[in-house]
Amino acid sequence: MKSLDERAKKMLLILGIMIGVIVIIIVISLIIGTLKNSSLEYSEIEDKMVSAAKDYYSKREDALPLNENEEVEVSATLLAEEGYMKELSKYQKDDSVACEGKVIVSKSGIYYNYSPYLNCGDKYTTTYLYEEIIDKTVSKDDGLYKTEQYSKEKGKETVYVYKGDYVDNFIKIDDNLWRIVKVDSNYNMMLIQDYFDRENGYRGPWDDRYNSANASNTGINDYYKSVIRKNINDYYSSTALSDNLKAKIVSKDLCAGTRGANETKKDGSIECREALTGEYLGLLTAYDFMNASLDTNCKKTTDMTCNNYNYLTDYQSAFWLITADSESTFMGYKFSDGITQTRLATSAVARIVLNITKNSVYVSGNGTYNDPYIIK
């Protein structure tokens, strides 16, 4: 009987030890799992910084940018010190890597764009889309070209322009495709719709007001007062564009000057003599259409050769240019199998053009139709 009690005690002891070992293993596994789950990919750390910055500024609204396109920034170190996130080292998988980061906040209308910047040396550095694009500048064939153009604000400036039939300039935002037309000297990027928004977009006259010069409703070639500008501004005010995209829009001076059919300059010096300041959306200029062609015979506004080697001709619907005719008060230009002079009161679509901030973070894609650029 005594022997039986001893055996029972031993079995209970062994069972207790086994249970203890199992408990220890579970605890260790939980600790390791917790540590593992706390480490993030570099892209996830960027998202963590943005989330923390939004919380930080929600309690410091007076520290947000006051003026259009103005920027402020907050460091990841300060966000950690204020308790809005952990130190960057707490999120990293590789303890040997030293990282530093910040979030840049810019103002566009009533919206604020939050752009992270994370620098972990040769392991990872945030890439902005313009850096990914400019890296692919070419000197011949289809692609991105470095050139000079004129702006009302800066005079001559260095820009990067897409030219050719087959250019990898597709970008997807909110499941909608756009095409990158050019990158300005501040590295902001001009986009044009690759689709017509049938539900919300505008199709109609550039202007159809009464023109006293020919005593009929043929329109007046003043873009500022035009019917199409009003509809474009209404489009911006609607929900057609997401708040996410509106926050990325950079308000720009629109080159709304008129030009003649035989004008040959295509550096913006004609259209940009007259500019509308602080516009969020607009239309393509005649010189931007001409510059997208690689044909050296594209010299005058209405040369049909400007259609050659030009990706902008892929668009199926006739679309208005912002540029009006300087030789009359009721004529303008639209693309319809080429840039054509036409009465402003005729119908075409408004193919929206906008500019997005240089701080747009590159996520993936190579710019093709099937693998467009993705940004955050």
Side-chain angles (χ1 to χ4, degrees):
M1 193 72 177
K2 184 177 180 181
S3 176
L4 184 62
D5 288 342
E6 290 294 329
R7 284 200 301 270
K9 288 180 181 179
K10 287 181 180 180
M11 289 179 65
L12 288 172
L13 179 61
I14 292 171
L15 181 61
I17 293 172
M18 290 177 63
I19 292 173
V21 169
I22 292 172
V23 169
I24 291 171
I25 291 173
I26 291 173
V27 170
I28 292 173
S29 297
L30 287 172
I31 293 172
I32 292 174
T34 300
L35 292 174
K36 185 176 180 180
N37 289 335
S38 66
S39 64
L40 302 173
E41 300 293 339
Y42 291 116
S43 179
E44 293 174 322
I45 297 176
E46 290 174 339
D47 295 340
K48 182 70 70 174
M49 288 163 52
V50 167
S51 178
K54 288 180 177 180
D55 289 342
Y56 175 84
Y57 281 109
S58 71
K59 297 177 175 58
R60 297 169 177 81
E61 292 185 358
D62 58 337
L64 285 166
L66 295 175
N67 303 313
E68 197 71 16
N69 301 328
E70 183 183 346
E71 294 180 356
V72 298
E73 61 182 54
V74 58
S75 69
T77 300
L78 180 58
L79 291 173
E81 289 174 352
E82 295 290 332
Y84 291 95
M85 59 181 286
K86 300 176 186 176
E87 294 178 4
L88 291 177
S89 59
K90 303 296 184 182
Y91 297 116
Q92 298 166 215
K93 291 183 177 180
D94 189 343
D95 295 334
S96 66
V97 178
C99 294
E100 57 182 10
K102 62 182 178 181
V103 177
I104 303 165
V105 187
S106 56
K107 177 179 171 62
S108 177
I110 62 172
Y111 304 97
Y112 294 95
N113 182 63
Y114 290 76
S115 294
Y117 182 78
L118 182 64
N119 185 352
C120 300
D122 58 0
K123 292 295 183 180
Y124 179 86
T125 302
T126 298
T127 301
Y128 293 126
L129 180 59
Y130 79 84
E131 296 173 313
E132 181 73 14
I133 290 172
I134 289 175
D135 228 24
K136 300 175 181 177
T137 304
V138 299
S139 57
K140 64 177 182 177
D141 300 324
D142 297 352
L144 188 70
Y145 285 73
K146 184 177 181 179
T147 186
E148 284 192 332
Q149 289 184 357
Y150 176 88
S151 73
K152 183 75 171 178
E153 180 184 6
K154 294 188 174 182
K156 283 287 184 181
E157 60 177 334
T158 299
V159 300
Y160 299 82
V161 178
Y162 278 103
K163 297 173 178 282
D165 269 326
Y166 308 108
V167 291
D168 298 334
N169 63 348
F170 288 93
I171 177 172
K172 180 182 281 189
I173 305 175
D174 301 323
D175 292 327
N176 294 318
L177 279 178
W178 300 73
R179 302 195 76 164
I180 305 166
V181 177
K182 62 184 179 183
V183 182
D184 70 15
S185 60
N186 292 324
Y187 303 116
N188 300 312
M189 293 151 284
M190 177 190 285
L191 312 184
I192 187 169
Q193 282 178 325
D194 189 56
Y195 68 100
F196 175 61
D197 186 345
R198 295 182 180 276
E199 184 176 348
N200 302 292
Y202 174 73
R203 184 193 297 272
W206 197 95
D207 193 71
D208 59 358
R209 290 184 172 86
Y210 182 81
N211 189 314
S212 57
N214 57 0
S216 62
N217 289 83
T218 49
I220 301 171
N221 64 349
D222 180 350
Y223 179 75
Y224 181 77
K225 298 178 180 178
S226 68
V227 169
I228 199 167
R229 177 174 177 266
K230 180 188 182 302
N231 279 276
I232 288 173
N233 288 341
D234 288 345
Y235 187 80
Y236 174 82
S237 300
S238 73
T239 57
L241 302 177
S242 70
D243 291 352
N244 169 60
L245 176 52
K246 288 178 181 178
K248 289 178 170 54
I249 294 177
V250 176
S251 65
K252 292 275 288 184
D253 291 352
L254 292 186
C255 296
T258 60
R259 70 180 283 150
N262 293 315
E263 293 282 6
T264 57
K265 291 183 179 179
K266 48 183 178 180
D267 61 354
S269 59
I270 296 172
E271 289 92 331
C272 294
R273 287 178 303 192
E274 298 176 29
L276 276 64
T277 60
E279 300 282 293
Y280 297 110
L281 307 182
L283 300 169
L284 196 71
T285 62
Y287 80 90
D288 279 322
F289 183 92
M290 296 170 72
N291 276 319
S293 171
L294 276 175
D295 196 321
T296 56
N297 293 309
C298 172
K299 296 176 179 178
K300 296 186 298 184
T301 309
T302 54
D303 278 346
M304 292 299 290
T305 48
C306 295
N307 291 355
N308 294 337
Y309 321 118
N310 188 335
Y311 69 92
L312 289 168
T313 62
D314 291 346
Y315 205 64
Q316 299 300 312
S317 300
F319 62 89
W320 285 110
L321 303 182
I322 195 173
T323 310
D325 179 30
S326 63
E327 297 166 357
S328 72
T329 59
F330 59 91
M331 299 285 283
Y333 298 100
K334 67 181 177 183
F335 171 78
S336 180
D337 298 324
I339 296 182
T340 58
Q341 278 180 307
T342 184
R343 290 175 180 267
L344 297 171
T346 59
S347 183
V349 305
R351 189 177 180 187
I352 298 298
V353 168
L354 55 81
N355 292 267
I356 60 171
T357 176
K358 66 182 184 297
N359 298 326
S360 299
V361 176
Y362 169 75
V363 175
S364 64
N366 58 20
T368 62
Y369 178 82
N370 292 319
D371 189 18
Y373 291 121
I374 302 296
I375 58 174
K376 49 161 94 167

